[in-house]
């Protein structure tokens, strides 16, 4: 796949299976800045959030903040500018929760 391809251009499904860790001290939820792209240089300086790691493609899945566009980017083309906030799971049981969500768990995104 070409540098910075999004899923629609690459012909793959979105999101692809997310597996291990791509290294570089990055992790899901980190805020990153795109840097060092040559063919898609217009993306340099754009900020986004890491959605996960694509083992098959060997790239991070990143959602760009301004456009919402999703890109697959190499570790070397990302610079962390903010760390992920880790929150414990949220349980919606109780009187304040809508009846159809009782017992469901999730995260506060």
């Amino acid at each position: 796949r070409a540098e910075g391809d999004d899923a629609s251009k690459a012909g793959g499904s979105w999101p692809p299976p997310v597996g291990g860790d791509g290294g570089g001290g990055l992790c899901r939820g980190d805020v990153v800045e795109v840097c060092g792209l040559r063919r898609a240089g217009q993306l340099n300086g754009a900020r986004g959030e890491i959605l996960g790691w694509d083992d098959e493609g060997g790239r991070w899945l990143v959602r760009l903040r301004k456009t919402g566009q999703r890109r697959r980017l190499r570790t070397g083309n990302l610079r962390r500018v903010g760390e992920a906030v880790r929150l414990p799971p949220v349980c919606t049981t109780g009187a304040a929760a809508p009846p159809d969500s009782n017992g469901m768990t999730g995260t506060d995104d």
Side-chain angles (χ1 to χ4, degrees):
R1 294 180 187 141
E3 168 185 283
D5 274 352
D6 64 17
S8 61
K9 290 180 184 175
S13 62
W14 190 269
V18 174
D21 179 358
L26 301 173
C27 68
R28 183 176 185 218
D30 281 349
V31 177
V32 293
E33 184 174 282
V34 179
C35 59
L37 294 179
R38 292 181 302 253
R39 287 183 280 176
Q42 73 278 9
L43 296 178
N44 290 329
R47 290 192 177 197
E49 178 185 347
I50 292 182
L51 302 176
W53 173 254
D54 177 6
D55 272 334
E56 185 178 316
R59 295 169 193 247
W60 288 102
L61 310 174
V62 178
R63 180 178 47 230
L64 301 178
R65 285 190 165 176
K66 284 191 177 181
T67 64
Q69 193 175 39
R70 295 174 178 183
R71 295 286 182 140
R72 302 168 198 243
L73 298 164
R74 294 180 181 142
T75 302
N77 293 118
L78 298 171
R79 181 176 63 86
R80 185 173 58 199
V81 294
E83 291 188 30
V85 175
R86 311 279 190 272
L87 297 174
V90 176
C91 184
T92 61
T93 58
D100 60 342
S101 67
N102 281 339
M104 297 176 77
T105 61
T107 58
D108 186 15
D109 289 330

